[in-house]
Amino acid sequence: MERGEAYGFSAVMSGTFLLSCLLFAAINRRQRGPYMDEAFHVPQAQAYCHGRFLQWDPMITTLPGLYLASVGVVKPAAWLFGWTGSVVCSAAMLRFINLLFSAGNFYLLYLLLLKIHQKNKAVSGFQRILSTLTLAMFPTLYFFTFLYYTDPGSVFFTLFAYLMCLYGNHKTSALLGFCGFMFRQTNIVWTVFCAGNVVAEKLNEAWKTELQKKKDEKISSRKGSLSDLMRILRFLIKYLISLKNLVTLTALTWPYIILVTVFFVFVFVNDGIVVGDRSSHEACLHFPQLFYFLSFTVFFSFPHLLTPTKIRKFLLSLRKHPVQYSLIAVISLFLIWKFTYVHKYLLADNRHYTFYVWRKIFQRHELVKYILVPVYMFAGWSFADTLKSKSIFWILMYFVCLLAVTVPQKLLEFRYFILPFLIYRLNIPFPSLYRQLLELAFYIVVNAVTFYLFLNKTFQWPNSDEIQRFMW
């Protein structure tokens, strides 16, 4: 990092943290007590603060990583500064833990952009700082910086694990992956993703050697044609049935293999992945979740994905390959018909934006979910098109992880899309400065509207005296 870039980064990070602190103070003045899921998280953390580590709320579905981390920060701070009484583990103090995680995420996002795009000398320090600021302000994540939820800590440890993986520190990466797993069990998928990065790199090296032997460079440049995909599939099978290659891959990824083994032991002993309230968190094959994620990504990355050039390229591709797209459309319609699930929380809780998305769009008519298939197809094509700079093995690995983290979820919940979105956004080529500024401006507007609604547009349910607020 050059000196000017270091000063610029420090200034932007400090300024963002200061503004976040001011917003944090405003939110805590308006919402002093626990809100929504905080009603479970805050008392559980307070029990840990008082040394009651065997006390557990059966409504909590995640492992106690958030509470252990909170006690590990709050208790030494209380001893150091002489804090006593209820302030030590108050809702505000616990929420502040996530503000610290948010600052950590800011730094990790910058380091990841620096590492992933290190070969792109055309990217300026200003663009890196701007992209870091934009991703740190990603609305769905940024909102939960100010509440005591698992998201900021979950993202912190997962991004840290990814960074260590990219630097080849796989034992450290697996250890951090374990911390991420302790915040949210589904983060085990991103441990597999880190292992997949190693495997994809080795596969890509072997594939390039294969191409060089055959003197057929056209194969690697035409990712997407059926014949090339069949060749890659044959190569993949041939590579993976080799004992020598499997031993090499195992030697490189053993820390991740151990962690995944621990995960399966946990699932066996726990008789499932969910810790507490299982009745509301049943796994299922909810394939339309992938379509919702792609739509979510297009919405939040519209300066990169929803452009006239991309629309023209998509229409041209549609005209060139009508049979392939017709087949994709038929499969999509079938998946929507047979595998659409509507969670009871989605229909009942009018505090979440997803309630209004579902009611205003999907519940307008039974055919709406089918009519949206062309939108999903464009979103999927545009999504894949922005990743074409990555190797085919990386894309396959990411896509498998994306399916694993989205499809089993019955509930449509935007928080579940945070990590797959961030990893996608970190890995696409740097956009133009204009598109970066447009993306940042859009995120600022969305955040401003979200916090305005949360703070000022309160309402009450007929059978409750509690103040209700809109949120993600």
Side-chain angles (χ1 to χ4, degrees), residues 191-224:
T191 295
V192 175
F193 172 79
C194 289
N197 264 276
V198 180
V199 174
E201 189 177 337
K202 285 296 174 184
L203 285 168
N204 201 43
E205 289 172 6
W207 178 239
K208 285 179 179 178
T209 305
E210 185 84 4
L211 292 178
Q212 199 168 10
K213 284 179 184 176
K214 295 183 178 181
K215 304 293 184 183
D216 189 6
E217 294 295 339
K218 291 180 181 179
I219 297 174
S220 62
S221 63
R222 293 201 317 267
K223 285 184 288 188

Side-chain angles (χ1 to χ4, degrees), residues 261-275 278:
T261 304
V262 169
F263 167 75
F264 282 116
V265 170
F266 160 77
V267 171
F268 177 76
V269 172
N270 188 56
D271 195 25
I273 191 171
V274 176
V275 176
R278 301 185 183 187

Side-chain angles (χ1 to χ4, degrees), residues 207-435:
W207 178 239
K208 285 179 179 178
T209 305
E210 185 84 4
L211 292 178
Q212 199 168 10
K213 284 179 184 176
K214 295 183 178 181
K215 304 293 184 183
D216 189 6
E217 294 295 339
K218 291 180 181 179
I219 297 174
S220 62
S221 63
R222 293 201 317 267
K223 285 184 288 188
S225 73
L226 191 59
S227 60
D228 289 350
L229 288 175
M230 290 305 295
R231 287 186 190 184
I232 290 167
L233 187 59
R234 285 196 296 270
F235 162 78
L236 200 57
I237 293 168
K238 181 183 173 183
Y239 186 91
L240 293 177
I241 61 173
S242 165
L243 183 61
K244 180 185 175 183
N245 292 334
L246 287 176
V247 169
T248 301
L249 293 177
T250 303
L252 288 169
T253 60
W254 67 265
Y256 306 112
I257 293 171
I258 290 174
L259 182 52
V260 172
T261 304
V262 169
F263 167 75
F264 282 116
V265 170
F266 160 77
V267 171
F268 177 76
V269 172
N270 188 56
D271 195 25
I273 191 171
V274 176
V275 176
D277 182 21
R278 301 185 183 187
S279 62
S280 301
H281 297 84
E282 296 173 346
C284 62
L285 290 176
H286 192 182
F287 287 104
Q289 283 278 28
L290 178 63
F291 305 145
Y292 306 149
F293 169 75
L294 292 171
S295 305
F296 173 90
T297 303
V298 167
F299 179 78
F300 281 109
S301 294
F302 80 91
H304 321 307
L305 301 181
L306 196 59
T307 64
T309 303
K310 281 203 176 291
I311 293 170
R312 282 196 300 270
K313 282 177 67 178
F314 173 69
L315 293 174
L316 184 63
S317 178
L318 203 63
R319 194 166 60 186
K320 281 186 177 180
H321 310 286
V323 176
Q324 291 180 24
Y325 283 102
S326 297
L327 183 61
I328 291 169
V330 169
I331 293 170
S332 301
L333 288 167
F334 174 77
L335 292 176
I336 291 169
W337 175 44
K338 284 294 185 183
F339 296 96
T340 296
Y341 297 93
V342 185
H343 199 284
K344 60 184 180 181
Y345 288 173
L346 183 62
L347 299 175
D349 198 334
N350 65 344
R351 294 169 293 184
H352 292 291
Y353 292 161
T354 46
F355 172 88
Y356 299 96
V357 169
W358 195 261
R359 192 178 73 173
K360 298 292 185 181
I361 299 175
F362 293 93
Q363 284 191 319
R364 281 193 174 275
H365 196 277
E366 180 64 25
L367 293 177
V368 168
K369 59 186 178 183
Y370 302 109
I371 293 169
L372 288 172
V373 165
V375 176
Y376 299 149
M377 288 174 65
F378 169 75
W381 176 89
S382 187
F383 182 86
D385 187 61
T386 52
L387 288 173
K388 62 186 179 184
S389 61
K390 310 296 289 187
S391 76
I392 186 66
F393 306 107
W394 190 96
I395 293 169
L396 286 171
M397 176 267 302
Y398 173 77
F399 185 70
V400 168
C401 291
L402 176 60
L403 286 175
V405 84
T406 56
V407 169
Q409 305 281 1
K410 187 175 183 179
L411 176 63
L412 173 57
E413 170 64 83
F414 291 147
R415 289 190 299 135
Y416 300 156
F417 297 157
I418 291 173
L419 273 168
F421 175 86
L422 287 177
I423 290 172
Y424 157 78
R425 180 61 183 77
L426 283 165
N427 282 281
I428 66 173
F430 263 81
S432 65
L433 184 59
Y434 164 74
R435 295 191 192 285

